[in-house]
Amino acid sequence: MTEHLAEEAARKLPLRDSDEIQGDILAGFRKDHESVLLLRFPQDPAPVRQWLRRLIPQIATTRQIAAFNAEFSAARHNLAGTDPAGLRVTWVNLSLTYAGLKFLMGAEPFPDQTPPGVQAFVQGASQRAGINGDEGDSTPENWLFGRDEQPVHAVITVASDEQALLEVRASELRVAAARAGLTVVFEQTGATLPGNSKGHEHFGFKDGVSQPGVAGFDRPDPSDPVHVAGKPGTRIVPAGEFVLGHPKLEGEPSTLPEWTRNGSFQVVRRLAQDVPAWWAQAGAVRRQLDREGVELPPGTGTEWLAARAVGRWRSGASVAHNPNAEPPAKPGAPDDNMISYVDDPEGHVTPHFAHIRKTNPRDGLGNGHNPADVRRIIRRGIPYGQPFDPAAGDGHGPDADRGLVFIAYMSDIDFQFEFLQRRWINNPDFRQQETGRDPVIGQDTDVNLKLDTLPGGKKLHFAQFVRTEGTIYAFAPALSTLRGLAQRP
Ligand code: HEM
């Protein structure tokens, strides 16, 4: 690329150079080891402001992460797909809950009245549990964090390429917090799964395949500019859907106060996964189909049924393109994400209840354009706990803690995360089709499995084996806003 063209390309992607937007929002940390520290402030704001002043220089910016990730990807490419050993870093970011923000501002953050788009953030996650379907075992009384009686003011995410580096940094952060009188209310660690399971969640499926592209951050494909270059099917969405103060798909950029500019709302959720129970259920449901004489393609077993629940096979290959069998791996091929549901209106291939169709119906909502784009979220989750493997002993058995530390960024928690939970995941009448809830993460449900050979559908029961064990709603402010908060008298 000539210098002129390189400059032009860089100019069109100004968000890659942002020293304002914190890291992990647009540019993902992408680390194998992570720790989320949930902190409570003491009574006196002065030492907290001092703590914040010292923390700010350690917070990673989008510019730093984007540059590092580009260097890492280039090195990986040169090493034929293995991770470059020398490139090891630890990143930190910080978000504040409504209570934390109010404490540091010394005043009501939204003085006039609660503007649209921040209701959920202001109320806090435990007050919104009903909206999110957190019932039964998932109610806030059972949570490890996020309960009203155990307030959290700040969330530090620290992520590293190496466990030892993570531990050193997390310990430094804990010491600094303690010196200023802050309490660590809870610490949630996470790590990518080992070996070939890296990049997969505990049920065994590849995760993080489909993310939105972001205008001004991701390079558009010159021959197909609605998608990100090199990532077929990754639609580019205006930055204002994730970061405040930027253009959105619909309506005004934002009516929120100036201090919100370049910040992003964050949802942190600990979702426990009962892996043996979920797979046992998939097997039982699959056998029920045989017992009831449902005609299925030859050779299809429990994996086929589980792939229908997710919408992808374990490898990440889509059911949309590979309805009946997992295709052989194609090293170096881009992720299978150029998915359309237009030709599958009844959900005979990818069921309407499938997790990926529920959480991103794409062009399958029936009105021509992609209204699902306004509900997109940027997911930065990581598994916690050891993989289920009864032969491996301690920590790998059925009772050990394991699940997903779900972390997502967006510009409106109510309109994006909560809408997904309420109107899609836990809605049995998704698209007026009585399709059932999401059988991967939704509440107990009867899904309606439809196939070309079964157009009328068959009701199949799925109990819920993902339990909410804590939720925090927070806001990751721009670096300049954090500096302002640290300076206040
Ligand atoms: C334990 C809990 C969860 C598990 C095991 C899980 C698993 C998965 C898997 C395997 C995929 C497919 C890979 C991919 O496209 O990236 C996926 C995609 C996705 N999940 Fe989840 N997920 C969980 C929770 C959630 C929650 C709570 C939400 C949102 C409220 C969510 C939203 C999404 C979205 C938006 C996609 C991408 C869909 C697409 O664009 O096609 N997930 N998830």
Side-chain angles (χ1 to χ4, degrees):
M1 199 187 280
T2 66
E3 208 169 294
H4 168 73
L5 282 176
E7 260 170 37
E8 164 131 5
R11 201 153 25 96
K12 286 193 184 143
L13 301 174
L15 296 180
R16 295 196 90 78
D17 294 332
S18 175
D19 291 318
E20 273 287 79
I21 303 169
Q22 291 193 50
D24 209 28
I25 300 168
L26 301 182
F29 284 165
R30 297 202 218 149
K31 296 293 170 225
D32 288 341
H33 306 276
E34 193 158 296
S35 203
V36 181
L37 299 169
L38 306 181
L39 302 165
R40 188 174 68 232
F41 294 158
Q43 297 275 316
D44 181 6
V48 180
R49 296 220 166 88
Q50 200 178 18
W51 162 83
L52 183 56
R53 275 199 293 279
R54 292 192 174 139
L55 181 66
I56 289 169
Q58 303 177 44
I59 294 176
T61 65
T62 297
R63 180 202 292 273
Q64 290 168 329
I65 310 283
F68 178 89
N69 288 352
E71 194 187 337
F72 192 92
S73 299
R76 206 170 188 278
H77 183 76
N78 293 338
L79 292 168
T82 48
D83 283 355
L87 286 174
R88 300 237 172 286
V89 279
T90 305
W91 302 124
V92 171
N93 83 3
L94 171 74
S95 58
L96 299 165
T97 63
Y98 174 70
L101 204 51
K102 192 168 167 181
F103 177 94
L104 283 168
M105 285 187 167
E108 175 55 50
F110 306 102
D112 303 333
Q113 68 191 94
T114 309
V118 297
Q119 200 87 39
F121 171 68
V122 169
Q123 285 185 357
S126 73
Q127 294 299 315
R128 312 285 286 186
I131 288 173
N132 291 328
D134 291 333
E135 290 168 5
D137 288 349
S138 292
T139 50
E141 304 92 86
N142 301 310
W143 289 0
L144 296 166
F145 58 82
R147 281 175 281 124
D148 286 345
E149 61 276 19
Q150 197 194 46
V152 168
H153 294 112
V155 180
I156 296 183
T157 304
V158 45
S160 182
D161 291 297
E162 248 177 50
Q163 180 62 23
L165 292 176
L166 176 78
E167 277 167 23
V168 170
R169 182 58 81 85
S171 141
E172 288 165 1
L173 289 163
R174 266 185 247 116
V175 169
R179 284 213 179 111
L182 284 80
T183 315
V184 179
V185 174
F186 195 82
E187 178 167 354
Q188 178 62 57
T189 54
T192 52
L193 299 185
N196 290 339
S197 299
K198 182 164 164 172
H200 293 231
E201 50 70 45
H202 277 289
F203 289 141
F205 295 85
K206 188 166 177 199
D207 203 359
V209 179
S210 173
Q211 295 276 19
V214 178
F217 182 82
D218 287 302
R219 200 174 303 284
D221 183 337
S223 59
D224 175 20
V226 298
H227 292 118
V228 176
K231 293 188 181 171
T234 298
R235 285 175 63 82
I236 296 182
V237 174
E241 300 298 326
F242 312 104
V243 180
L244 291 142
H246 291 263
K248 295 187 73 158
L249 270 163
E250 290 168 6
E252 293 299 307
S254 166
T255 53
L256 296 181
E258 184 57 23
W259 60 260
T260 61
R261 173 177 289 278
N262 285 320
S264 182
F265 287 102
Q266 181 196 39
V267 175
V268 179
R269 226 155 136 76
R270 173 170 152 135
L271 299 171
Q273 294 174 256
D274 187 340
V275 175
W278 190 81
W279 276 104
Q281 167 166 270
V285 170
R286 176 63 188 81
R287 287 191 295 281
Q288 180 191 343
L289 292 172
D290 281 345
R291 256 195 332 273
E292 296 183 9
V294 174
E295 191 195 329
L296 294 178
T300 55
T302 303
E303 296 279 345
W304 176 91
L305 200 268
R308 246 126 221 96
V310 175
R312 291 188 185 274
W313 299 87
R314 284 182 194 247
S315 62
S318 71
V319 166
H321 296 146
N322 312 276
N324 294 325
E326 179 151 22
K330 285 190 216 130
D335 282 330
D336 172 2
N337 202 30
M338 193 64 138
I339 299 170
S340 165
Y341 299 124
V342 167
D343 295 333
D344 184 20
E346 297 294 322
H348 289 187
V349 181
T350 306
H352 283 292
F353 57 73
H355 178 64
I356 67 160
R357 192 157 180 180
K358 280 271 189 182
T359 53
N360 182 14
R362 301 184 185 226
D363 55 3
L365 285 173
N367 29 6
H369 59 302
N370 250 295
D373 284 353
V374 297
R375 311 288 178 181
R376 305 265 16 225
I377 53 176
I378 294 178
R379 291 175 298 134
R380 300 292 183 212
I382 188 162
Y384 69 91
Q386 305 293 326
F388 175 63
D389 180 1
D394 253 12
H396 295 267
D399 297 332
D401 285 340
R402 65 175 62 82
L404 183 73
V405 189
F406 174 87
I407 299 178
Y409 292 97
M410 63 210 79
S411 61
D412 184 333
I413 293 176
D414 179 338
F415 195 79
Q416 290 160 285
F417 169 74
E418 289 189 347
F419 186 95
L420 262 59
Q421 287 287 140
R422 185 175 76 242
R423 299 287 295 279
W424 288 347
I425 292 166
N426 283 321
N427 181 2
D429 291 328
F430 185 59
R431 303 217 50 220
Q432 285 80 48
Q433 298 228 17
E434 289 186 16
T435 178
R437 301 187 171 108
D438 178 331
V440 181
I441 63 168
Q443 297 167 308
D444 285 16
T445 185
D446 283 332
V447 302
N448 194 13
L449 178 72
K450 290 184 178 180
L451 304 166
D452 285 341
T453 49
L454 193 66
K458 172 120 223 121
K459 290 258 156 104
L460 301 169
H461 187 72
F462 275 85
Q464 184 173 23
F465 291 111
V466 169
R467 201 174 60 248
T468 308
E469 294 193 326
T471 311
I472 298 285
Y473 287 172
F475 180 71
L479 268 301
S480 61
T481 299
L482 286 178
R483 272 181 224 114
L485 291 171
Q487 292 314 323
R488 268 165 217 245

